[in-house]
Amino acid sequence: MESNIHKALGLTDDENKLIHDILDRSPNYLELAMFSVMWSEHCSYKSSRIHLRRLPTKGERVLVGPGENAGVIDAGGGVAIAIRIESHNHPSAIEPFQGAATGVGGIIRDIFSVGARPIALLDSLKFGPLDDPRNRWIFEGVVSGISSYGNSVGVPTVGGELDFSSCYSDNPLVNVACLGVMPKSRLVLAQATGVGNLVVLFGSLTGRDGIGGVSVLASAGFKKSNSKDALSDAEKNLARTNDEDDKRSSVQVGDPFEEKILIEACLELQQAGLVVGIQDLGGAGLSSALSETASRGGVGMDINVNAVPLREPGMAPYEILTSESQERMLAIVTPQDLEQVLAVCKKWGIEAAVIAKVVQGDSLRVLDGWDGQILADIPASFLHDASPVCERPLKEPENFQLIKSDNAQFDKPLDCAKDLLALLQDPSWVYKQYDRHLFLNTVSEDGSDAAVLLLKAPGLDIQEKDLIGTKDNFSKKADAIALSADSNPRWVSLDPYKGTALIVAESVLNLACAGAEAVALVNCLNYGNPEHPEVMWQFSESIDGMAHACKSFNLPVVGGNVSFYNESGGKDIDPSPVVTTLGLIDKLNKRPPSPRLFPNAQILLIGPESENLAGSAWADVIHRYRGGSLAELDVQMHQKVVSGVIELLKADLVLGIHDISQGGLGVALVEMAIRSKIGFVVDGINYKELFSEAPSRVIICTNKAEEILSYCQDNSIPAKTLGIAKGTDLIIKDLVKLELGQASAQIGLPKEFIPSQV
């Protein structure tokens, strides 16, 4: 072994020594390659595990929490919901279309691997400014990749968010969440049990695409490296340099049509009870799938590397074990069920082969033929969860307290209307690329605060016979699901603890605007280089802020993803935690109200008034100022507003509704006006109230204002009348006067963006 090979594979000297101690010998190249991908930041969470433990993960509806392919919650009536979120940031920076497309494919496989039919996708996308040609190329490629894969595989993209900032130039954030439904009886976990059982690999053939993806792309920044000098040509294929051209082949290539038949085959196998355990193949490929299923089941495996069906000839064992070729699944089956399993795969035209056997002990042995030479021998548990936990140093940024205390006083703008127009953004080009109605159960309108989907048993691969006789803590099935994806890097940059708590609160309120009670949350935590103490301090503070908010709202975190090493031009991105929150609507008789105005209806503000401009888009975009202390999250008041909004919707008192978040009250009002093509006249607010993004506030359009105001008074919820919806002018007295057409013409993506397809 050359002394620098472990470094070229992304392992530290201490990790290399630990591997020697575990094996009680020097590892060979195959073993070192398997350790390198499994102990990568992406797979091992070695820098984040110590902090993630502080998040609440248990709840009365939680069936499966973090650590499995997807979190699973009880929706009542024998129905379960699976949810998961992942990032594909670095692959999308190198190859936008395939990077984003395979991110969608991977997250879909996480859902159907537990037995659920995928029914919805959401995406949170962040890019650099579109006046840069490369950022435009990344932006269009990512959106095209998501739409191409999601539309082709038949899973609708029902919601998400879009943001632009210079900190994401060359390093976009592409976070994708997926949700699925199933009868609780079909739940299957990723565990290998039963000595003598067989391991079947089925789906696409294994090729050289994606080799080194988790260790090279997802676990390192975009920097040059000269650590490959002593490696052979074959070894260089895994231990690539960080040059972009070399990294491009580390991006996987997806096939949505293969994934579609894989969904049907897996669900048929699970419904028939033919699999003991099942695992999708994503990051680290077979090394991950085999070691994780064996470790969770407390067993070992003998793997015949020659039995793996290959797409390319001459692949070396390390290539086969670390390939991240897409659309592949691993199933643990009993010998007596093998013939039926292979028959189901043949029915769907899917390649399948027995590649391993479950054995006693903990050893993962890679063999050259069933009775051939032992090529690798590693304890499965050490590959899976024995990577060193990095207690990286934390350091509060030197200017943090100074920035918090710097509450700048802004003069009244010379032209509030001009500032307001500058804050408007229209994501419609993005969501028009997506099919939102593939299952005909999406009932919310485009641009709503939360996506709403009917939870129909028949038609969503759940038959009434699947639910008969099920023992259920929640006897009644909810009528609908609501989903919201939220983030605000401005808030988190200013104060990671408060900012992250405010994001969770916003997400809960978004669900309430659809009439849903939040029941679970998944997160995607996007941060800079964890080797920078300031980044780890941001991360730790964000975890504590999220934990505080989730505990306050009784909201378990059932899964998530951490993406480190997000850097642009040598500078860390703004800390960017994204949350996707799941809510349930017990009774849904009609489509929930959307952010719209109605002629001659009154406009109300529900929630506390605020003049706090810290962390606002107005302060940042208009004044290039990031400072001050974020508005406090009054948990009790927020819960009152959330519960109150849900009750007002149940009482059918609301025509239109919109939460106040990015851009403040002014942006929320203009968005409602543009969507409904109706103007408004509003009075009684100043410019600070116009642009404040303080929490716990919603705008309601209603023709039953007295009833709403009376309810709010009885329940100690602040509320006041803002004005009336009428005409075609947008009037905020003493601040703004715009024509509706003027605002509609202004809103949109930057003029520099000219899409090649619409």
Side-chain angles (χ1 to χ4, degrees), residues 416-434:
C416 282
K418 181 180 178 182
D419 288 359
L420 191 55
L421 291 176
L423 298 177
L424 296 175
Q425 179 176 280
D426 179 14
S428 62
W429 180 84
V430 174
Y431 62 68
K432 285 180 179 178
Q433 308 301 305
Y434 307 145

Side-chain angles (χ1 to χ4, degrees), residues 456-476:
K456 304 179 295 185
L460 289 182
D461 200 47
I462 301 174
Q463 305 302 321
E464 298 300 336
K465 63 181 178 63
D466 297 326
L467 309 179
I468 295 174
T470 57
K471 295 181 179 180
D472 203 305
N473 293 329
F474 302 93
S475 58
K476 183 182 181 301

Side-chain angles (χ1 to χ4, degrees), residues 323-370:
S323 166
E324 295 177 13
S325 293
Q326 298 290 285
E327 291 84 41
R328 296 181 299 162
M329 301 294 292
L330 198 75
I332 316 301
V333 305
T334 63
Q336 55 267 35
D337 287 335
L338 176 62
E339 186 175 339
Q340 287 180 268
V341 169
L342 296 178
V344 170
C345 292
K346 183 178 180 181
K347 166 188 171 182
W348 289 101
I350 293 173
E351 185 86 25
V354 176
I355 66 162
K357 299 175 182 177
V358 177
V359 298
Q360 288 184 337
D362 184 36
S363 184
L364 205 66
R365 299 197 309 168
V366 181
L367 309 174
D368 185 11
W370 291 114

Side-chain angles (χ1 to χ4, degrees), residues 387-683:
S387 67
V389 175
C390 299
E391 295 189 46
R392 298 192 184 274
L394 313 178
K395 181 182 178 183
E396 180 183 292
E398 293 180 1
N399 59 350
F400 174 68
Q401 296 298 333
L402 181 63
I403 290 174
K404 276 183 63 176
S405 62
D406 180 23
N407 285 304
Q409 298 299 314
F410 298 104
D411 294 330
K412 180 180 178 181
L414 296 176
D415 190 343
C416 282
K418 181 180 178 182
D419 288 359
L420 191 55
L421 291 176
L423 298 177
L424 296 175
Q425 179 176 280
D426 179 14
S428 62
W429 180 84
V430 174
Y431 62 68
K432 285 180 179 178
Q433 308 301 305
Y434 307 145
D435 190 333
R436 300 180 63 250
H437 300 281
L438 285 163
F439 287 96
L440 300 179
N441 67 328
T442 306
V443 297
S444 54
E445 294 185 17
D446 289 329
S448 296
D449 292 328
V452 177
L453 301 98
L454 294 176
L455 187 54
K456 304 179 295 185
L460 289 182
D461 200 47
I462 301 174
Q463 305 302 321
E464 298 300 336
K465 63 181 178 63
D466 297 326
L467 309 179
I468 295 174
T470 57
K471 295 181 179 180
D472 203 305
N473 293 329
F474 302 93
S475 58
K476 183 182 181 301
K477 177 180 67 64
D479 278 357
I481 305 165
L483 295 162
S484 179
D486 297 280
S487 69
N488 194 317
R490 291 188 185 93
W491 293 348
V492 186
S493 296
L494 192 54
D495 188 328
Y497 183 99
K498 276 188 181 179
T500 307
L502 288 172
I503 291 169
V504 175
E506 180 191 345
S507 199
V508 171
L509 186 54
N510 277 331
L511 295 183
C513 289
E517 177 187 355
V519 297
L521 177 148
V522 292
N523 59 44
C524 207
L525 307 175
N526 308 276
Y527 291 79
N529 191 329
E531 298 163 35
H532 298 163
E534 294 83 0
V535 169
M536 286 309 300
W537 178 84
Q538 291 172 334
F539 183 83
S540 178
E541 288 289 298
S542 287
I543 292 295
D544 287 340
M546 183 175 295
H548 166 67
C550 287
K551 289 174 183 176
S552 299
F553 302 133
N554 194 27
L555 193 59
V557 179
V558 297
N561 171 251
V562 177
S563 176
F564 278 131
Y565 293 100
N566 292 289
E567 303 167 285
S568 178
K571 183 180 179 181
D572 295 311
I573 65 163
D574 291 339
S576 306
V578 174
V579 300
T580 294
T581 308
L582 166 66
L584 296 177
I585 303 174
D586 289 335
K587 190 72 175 177
L588 186 67
N589 296 317
K590 66 177 185 177
R591 171 180 284 177
S594 62
R596 289 184 177 274
L597 300 177
F598 291 79
N600 301 314
Q602 289 185 286
I603 302 171
L604 309 182
L605 172 64
I606 308 298
E609 299 178 58
S610 176
E611 296 184 354
N612 190 311
L613 292 170
S616 67
W618 181 75
D620 183 25
V621 174
I622 305 301
H623 293 279
R624 305 297 178 192
Y625 172 79
R626 288 192 180 186
S629 181
L630 292 174
E632 297 292 334
L633 173 61
D634 183 334
V635 171
Q636 291 184 338
M637 176 55 67
H638 196 78
Q639 289 175 319
K640 283 184 180 181
V641 173
V642 166
S643 299
V645 166
I646 293 173
E647 290 303 314
L648 292 173
L649 265 65
K650 285 181 179 178
D652 200 19
L653 300 177
V654 178
L655 295 174
I657 190 167
H658 199 5
D659 81 309
I660 297 172
S661 54
Q662 184 164 305
L665 173 62
V667 167
L669 281 169
V670 174
E671 286 177 342
M672 295 177 79
I674 291 174
R675 287 175 57 83
S676 50
K677 297 182 174 58
I678 297 170
F680 56 77
V681 178
V682 167
D683 195 5

Side-chain angles (χ1 to χ4, degrees), residues 148-401:
S148 175
Y149 203 102
N151 294 351
S152 297
V153 79
V155 181
T157 302
V158 299
E161 58 168 7
L162 177 68
D163 201 6
F164 298 93
S165 174
S166 58
C167 76
Y168 306 115
S169 291
D170 296 330
N171 195 134
L173 299 187
V174 180
N175 295 178
V176 182
C178 188
L179 176 137
V181 297
M182 62 181 169
K184 285 169 59 177
S185 58
R186 200 165 67 200
L187 176 62
V188 179
L189 300 180
Q191 297 179 4
T193 56
V195 172
N197 283 342
L198 305 175
V199 181
V200 177
L201 175 66
F202 61 103
S204 290
L205 302 180
T206 298
R208 289 189 171 94
D209 52 319
I211 292 176
V214 298
S215 56
V216 176
L217 287 183
S219 304
F222 294 122
K223 299 176 182 177
K224 300 282 185 180
S225 171
N226 296 311
S227 58
K228 64 173 183 176
D229 297 340
L231 305 184
S232 69
D233 288 341
E235 292 161 348
K236 289 176 185 176
N237 194 31
L238 177 61
R240 303 183 202 284
T241 67
N242 281 319
D243 297 317
E244 182 175 309
D245 288 342
D246 287 335
K247 280 188 170 185
R248 196 173 301 278
S249 56
S250 291
V251 179
Q252 309 96 322
V253 178
D255 181 352
F257 302 104
E258 181 74 16
E259 181 114 330
K260 175 60 178 172
I261 59 174
L262 203 57
I263 292 173
E264 304 307 327
C266 280
L267 294 179
E268 183 172 336
L269 291 171
Q270 291 157 326
Q271 184 70 20
L274 295 175
V275 291
V276 175
I278 196 164
Q279 170 78 45
D280 75 301
L281 275 74
L286 281 168
S287 291
S288 174
L290 292 165
S291 63
E292 289 180 7
T293 52
S295 175
R296 291 184 186 125
V299 295
M301 285 184 184
D302 282 350
I303 304 133
N304 179 3
V305 71
N306 298 331
V308 177
L310 302 179
R311 184 187 307 149
E312 304 176 49
M315 290 182 66
Y318 82 86
E319 293 178 308
I320 296 171
L321 267 295
T322 62
S323 166
E324 295 177 13
S325 293
Q326 298 290 285
E327 291 84 41
R328 296 181 299 162
M329 301 294 292
L330 198 75
I332 316 301
V333 305
T334 63
Q336 55 267 35
D337 287 335
L338 176 62
E339 186 175 339
Q340 287 180 268
V341 169
L342 296 178
V344 170
C345 292
K346 183 178 180 181
K347 166 188 171 182
W348 289 101
I350 293 173
E351 185 86 25
V354 176
I355 66 162
K357 299 175 182 177
V358 177
V359 298
Q360 288 184 337
D362 184 36
S363 184
L364 205 66
R365 299 197 309 168
V366 181
L367 309 174
D368 185 11
W370 291 114
D371 300 314
Q373 178 186 0
I374 298 175
L375 304 178
D377 190 347
I378 307 173
S381 58
F382 283 100
L383 271 180
H384 175 214
D385 58 7
S387 67
V389 175
C390 299
E391 295 189 46
R392 298 192 184 274
L394 313 178
K395 181 182 178 183
E396 180 183 292
E398 293 180 1
N399 59 350
F400 174 68
Q401 296 298 333

